[in-house]
Amino acid sequence: MTQVSKSRRRGGGRAGNATRRGTASIDQMPWRIPVNTDRPIEPLDDDGVQAIHDGAMRILEEIGIEFLHDESLELFKQAGCTVNGTNVRMGRDWVMEMLGHAPAQFDITPRNLDRKITLGGKHILFGNVSSPPNYFDLEIGKKVSGTRAQCANLLKLTQYFNCIHFAGGYPVEAVDLHASVRHLDIMYDKMLLTDKVVHAYSLGKERVEDVMEMVKIAGGLSEEEFAAKPHMYTNINSTSPLKHDDLMIDGCLRCARRGQAIIVTPFTLAGAMAPVTMAGAVTLSIAEAISAIALFQYVRPGAPCVIGTFTSNVDMKSGAPAFGTAEYMRATQMTGQMARFYGLPMRASGVCAANVPDGQAMWETSNSLWSAVQSGTNIVYHAAGWLEGGLIACPEKFVMDCEVLQIIQRYMEPQVVATAPEDIAFDAIKEVGPNGHYFGIQHTQDRYENAFHQPFMSDWRNFEAWEAGGSVWTAERAHRTYKDILASFEAPPMDAGIRDTLADFVARRKAEGGAPTDF
């Protein structure tokens, strides 16, 4: 195993601890919030931005958005919008006035204050896979329904890796738990196994209110302290085309009124739920997102909101979603331009359509991750562990994706492009001249330990050496790393009294029936 330089930390049970714990010994970067200093790629010219904006405004003014939520319809009426049944049409002046209240940047502070994250500006954050109903790993060797134990293991990876900045929704759905109490058990596990920013599903008032209460308990917060600034967030998807669901809007309104962050992410697949042209799909997505954000700003001006993009295309032969495509990348870049036009932070995703952790999985995910970087995205969902278009969570893929995330973070470090005299290295070039080499000179000796990024998953040996070492393919190496991490994992510390209070809350809410379901 490579010796760790002084500027790096070994991963242990507690990711980011300066002291190594347990036996896990991958070489990972210390915790930090990456800053993306690159200029965004902007495929649209000014006329193109204006065309998409005007198209989105015309949708809101002339076609309208369906809001299947009674209270929101009354709020839109109060705001002077045109409400006809569940259809809401709103003027562009009002929409832009509401968007003007939304902050361009804000922080979310979890129970561990050192894991505070910043959304907006040039910051970029990466999160774990969220919400697949199924699980796959090399040991099982097939797709199976998710369980609480598998979810907990993926939460341990979420906590362990410093390049994962927040704990999104369930890393895999715990199908072995009844839906009425699943959120209570999984959030309890999440509160104990991670100390990073967490997410609440907006799927009925009980689920979102329970999670907000558990975040309060875990942080030792009063209601006033909780509502004073964001400590968690929710994410919703519109029901494309042109529709917002009752439960999701309800959950967001509850979060907004208590000062918690909201991400609105239309799921628009060009050729299926959106126009086949990428400009048309992006326009529809923008209209759906800002219609909801405008509502939340009307209810609480200044509510922390993020505009999300999940615009891709379908396979026109089968209708299956495709991800990491050229069209997906361009749609993400275009949405980045529109987010900056509206002054909103932006969410994108690290996604693929591949079914197993193979080459297709990695090139599609890398395409989607780099499009997030190129677009100026601030928060990246599903950055590690996603397969089969979001239907499978996979720990080997999680580990492999974290290798890519570390490369992206290294790419953003300022020393990579530093141009001070010692970086230009004129004296070193003069010393070596045309006939020597740079291995042994002092300039190299002073810098070699930290000069280049050292991967923990890539194998740089030649074929013969790799073959002599057992011919271990990447996914197999990732499986071994995953098992090593689990074997040495230590949960972050939590006060025993707080843990007991959380357990009591979960027990009480279970006794009360948890959240209602239709089965």
Side-chain angles (χ1 to χ4, degrees), residues 160-213:
Y160 178 86
F161 279 103
N162 292 326
C163 60
I164 300 299
H165 302 104
F166 61 96
Y170 314 149
V172 68
E173 287 280 350
V175 181
D176 57 337
L177 298 176
H178 194 272
S180 62
V181 298
R182 185 179 303 160
H183 69 288
L184 294 166
D185 284 332
I186 299 304
M187 186 53 58
Y188 179 77
D189 291 347
K190 185 179 286 190
M191 290 287 96
L192 266 61
L193 294 173
T194 77
D195 58 6
K196 298 179 181 179
V197 166
V198 300
H199 159 276
Y201 285 103
S202 285
L203 297 173
K205 67 177 183 179
E206 291 82 7
R207 290 181 179 87
V208 72
E209 294 283 0
D210 283 345
V211 171
M212 285 195 282
E213 190 62 29

Side-chain angles (χ1 to χ4, degrees), residues 93-104 293-294 297 301-302 342-344:
D93 291 343
W94 179 80
V95 171
M96 294 303 289
E97 179 186 352
M98 294 302 104
L99 296 184
H101 296 308
I293 293 173
Q297 295 303 315
Y342 295 116
L344 294 169

Side-chain angles (χ1 to χ4, degrees), residues 256-308:
R257 286 172 170 140
R258 295 176 71 182
Q260 303 310 300
I262 301 165
I263 304 174
V264 183
T265 311
F267 184 10
T268 47
L269 291 175
M273 302 118 69
V276 73
T277 57
M278 298 316 295
V282 170
T283 300
L284 177 68
S285 174
I286 294 295
E288 292 177 353
I290 63 178
S291 66
I293 293 173
L295 170 65
F296 306 144
Q297 295 303 315
Y298 177 73
V299 169
R300 179 161 175 163
C305 290
V306 176
I307 187 170

Side-chain angles (χ1 to χ4, degrees), residues 26 399-400 403 455-459 474-479 481:
I26 71 164
V399 172
M400 293 159 68
E403 178 82 285
F456 65 86
M457 188 51 49
S458 296
D459 189 331
T474 307
E476 296 175 78
R477 296 196 301 274
H479 181 78
T481 299

Side-chain angles (χ1 to χ4, degrees), residues 41-45 48-49 52 277-283 286 307 309 311 326-342 346 371 374-376:
I41 291 179
E42 298 192 332
L44 300 171
D45 59 18
V49 171
I52 289 178
T277 57
M278 298 316 295
V282 170
T283 300
I286 294 295
I307 187 170
T309 176
T311 298
E327 291 80 10
Y328 177 95
M329 296 176 74
R330 281 306 197 193
T332 303
Q333 294 163 1
M334 292 159 69
T335 306
Q337 286 186 258
M338 301 310 299
R340 288 186 290 281
F341 177 82
Y342 295 116
M346 177 173 144
S371 72
Q374 294 164 351
S375 66

